[in-house]
Amino acid sequence: MDPMPEERTAEPLTQYVQRVAGRVRAFDRRHPLLWDLALTGFWLTAALIDYVGGGWESVARNKDVPDGLLLTLSLGLTIPLLWRRTRPRAALLAMAPMAFANAYTGAVLQAALLQLVLIYNIALRLPLRTLWWTTLLVIAPQFVTVARHPRGSWDQQVVPALMSTALVAVLGMAVRTRRDYTEALEDRARRLETERDQQARLAAAAERARIAREMHDIIGHNLSVITGLADGGRYAAAKSPDRAAQALDAIATTSRLALTELRRLLDVLREEDRPAADLTPQPALTDLDQLIDGVRKAGLPVSTTVHGTPAITPGRQLTVYRVIQEALTNTLKHAGPGATSQIEMSYDNGGAVTVTVTDTGRGGDTDGTGGRGLHGMRERTALYGGTLEAGPLPEGGWCVRLHLPEETPQ
């Protein structure tokens, strides 16, 4: 077996940068307005310094622009940045008149480049088709500058602005793609975690139901047999001590069998490292004779008829065993005195099984839906795509019919 690859760890500097970036993003999520005010204030201060210090004159095409107009342009090209994340289109439209006035007058304030910040946010947050007209809106003032205040060839003035706008737009789309990919991974991780928890809950519920069925089959049947034997032994104690002793021996045997099955079931719950399939109580068809003998000792005459040779898997054998066990247990509980039971089993070469258990008693629930036992029988039968019918017979008595279809080859 190949050795497990070593887990790669980031460089200390990279980890530090990631931690700092994570803290900045977390602070921004908690206080978005504060961050927007800080960024807008920074660029507003830079624009005012450019205006007051006269730095704008070094690139201006016209140095005779009135001071009031210069101040208005400086404010109009920076303050809309406050809405760069919430309403970037509206902020760009608010900047557009100032950008055209800046180009028309020849002031050529560098604050006009802040429109690229809005282009970045549009590419990051809005539909990409918005970039077409917003890019034209940003480039258009360059043509005004070329027309009003030419300096060199037009391509030397327009192409750099177009390339800068395209580069910022591509950067915004790249960050957007990365962000969407990260969010998709996080969403997938959350869904997988939710599915894992759901699967764990479903598995726990299925295991509880399985244990409940096993406990019901083990305890319910054996206690019914023990109760029948105890009643018979009590009546026989006065007239036939030998029969009473036989009843007590049968009670002891049945109790030991029940305890053995319970211990095996509890071992499954205690020993998680061992496969459950190896420890789960799994009676087979070979145990049917012992089951039927115990029911007979409890006072219920049972006759059996078998057609064909059983050749089915252990899981199907367990289903057949448990259904017969539950049917006989219900007969002991509800059939009343003097009842008899008949078991007919038919096996096909393809693995199909049909089991019919009838009795001559007075029956139990008339709709066949009451109690955990019938519900458990139907669950077991459904595992193999079979059908189970339970209900009263027209001539009196009760019938349980199980059919498992042929086993599909895997």
Side-chain angles (χ1 to χ4, degrees):
M1 181 180 295
D2 295 335
M4 292 292 292
E6 296 183 1
E7 184 178 356
R8 296 181 60 185
T9 58
E11 294 293 334
L13 180 59
T14 304
Q15 294 178 355
Y16 175 76
V17 172
Q18 290 175 347
R19 286 197 300 270
V20 172
R23 294 193 188 102
V24 171
R25 285 193 295 268
F27 180 83
D28 184 30
R29 285 192 295 268
R30 292 193 303 268
H31 310 285
L33 181 59
L34 183 60
W35 184 259
D36 291 340
L37 285 173
L39 183 66
T40 305
F42 172 80
W43 289 113
L44 176 60
T45 302
L48 292 178
I49 291 175
D50 186 51
Y51 157 67
V52 174
W56 64 279
E57 295 179 356
S58 60
V59 294
R61 306 292 177 87
N62 177 19
K63 299 181 181 180
D64 298 328
V65 181
D67 290 343
L69 180 58
L70 287 174
L71 179 60
T72 302
L73 293 177
S74 299
L75 297 176
L77 291 172
T78 52
I79 291 178
L81 289 178
L82 188 62
W83 297 279
R84 77 188 197 284
R85 292 193 289 189
T86 56
R87 292 182 291 274
R89 276 182 300 195
L92 186 62
L93 290 174
M95 277 190 183
M98 302 297 171
F100 279 101
N102 182 48
Y104 186 83
T105 58
V108 195
L109 295 178
Q110 298 300 298
L113 295 175
L114 294 176
Q115 292 178 104
L116 298 178
V117 176
L118 297 177
I119 290 293
Y120 171 82
N121 281 271
I122 289 173
L124 183 65
R125 294 179 170 83
L126 298 182
L128 296 182
R129 61 178 179 272
T130 309
L131 287 173
W132 293 107
W133 66 266
T134 52
T135 299
L136 293 176
L137 189 63
V138 172
I139 297 300
Q142 300 296 325
F143 291 97
V144 175
T145 301
V146 171
R148 287 275 300 170
H149 309 281
R151 180 184 294 177
S153 62
W154 69 272
D155 58 325
Q156 292 177 344
Q157 302 176 63
V158 174
V159 172
L162 181 60
M163 294 297 293
S164 300
T165 306
L167 181 61
V168 170
V170 170
L171 178 62
M173 289 187 288
V175 174
R176 177 179 186 164
T177 301
R178 179 66 179 178
R179 182 195 63 186
D180 293 344
Y181 177 71
T182 303
E183 290 177 353
L185 289 180
E186 292 175 350
D187 180 67
R188 183 172 181 269
R190 284 192 297 268
R191 286 189 286 106
L192 289 176
E193 184 177 357
T194 302
E195 291 176 4
R196 181 200 63 192
D197 295 341
Q198 290 176 345
Q199 291 295 330
R201 287 193 293 269
L202 290 174
E207 184 64 13
R208 286 195 298 269
R210 185 188 68 84
I211 294 172
R213 287 196 303 268
E214 296 291 345
M215 294 290 287
H216 174 273
D217 292 337
I218 295 170
I219 297 176
H221 170 74
N222 288 290
L223 285 182
S224 297
V225 173
I226 290 171
T227 301
L229 291 170
D231 289 340
R234 183 182 61 185
Y235 290 118
K239 299 180 180 179
S240 179
D242 293 339
R243 295 289 300 277
Q246 292 176 0
L248 291 175
D249 291 339
I251 289 173
T253 302
T254 305
S255 301
R256 280 192 290 270
L257 291 174
L259 285 174
T260 300
E261 289 198 67
L262 281 176
R263 288 193 186 101
R264 293 171 65 191
L265 179 62
L266 294 175
D267 286 342
V268 177
L269 304 180
R270 287 197 298 265
E271 301 182 25
E272 297 180 356
D273 295 336
R274 297 179 61 185
D278 296 339
L279 297 172
T280 304
Q282 298 215 349
L285 295 179
T286 55
D287 300 308
L288 277 177
D289 291 340
Q290 185 179 5
L291 170 69
I292 295 172
D293 288 342
V295 173
R296 285 170 178 162
K297 291 178 181 179
L300 176 65
V302 180
S303 61
T304 60
T305 305
V306 180
H307 303 284
T309 302
I312 56 177
T313 59
R316 289 177 164 235
Q317 292 187 38
L318 177 62
T319 300
V320 172
Y321 180 94
R322 290 305 190 195
V323 168
I324 294 176
Q325 182 186 54
E326 180 64 26
L328 294 177
T329 302
N330 288 339
T331 300
L332 280 173
K333 290 180 180 179
H334 307 297
T340 61
S341 180
Q342 168 71 33
I343 302 174
E344 183 175 353
M345 293 174 282
S346 298
Y347 302 98
D348 294 340
N349 294 331
V353 184
T354 302
V355 178
T356 305
V357 183
T358 59
D359 64 59
T360 59
R362 59 172 178 262
D365 296 332
T366 58
D367 59 357
T369 59
R372 181 182 292 274
L374 289 175
H375 180 69
M377 284 195 291
R378 289 193 171 93
E379 285 184 344
R380 291 181 185 278
T381 304
L383 290 176
Y384 298 97
T387 58
L388 186 134
E389 301 172 358
L393 295 170
E395 64 274 13
W398 193 266
C399 176
V400 175
R401 186 178 184 276
L402 163 72
H403 176 72
L404 300 179
E406 292 186 3
E407 196 164 7
T408 303
Q410 298 297 321

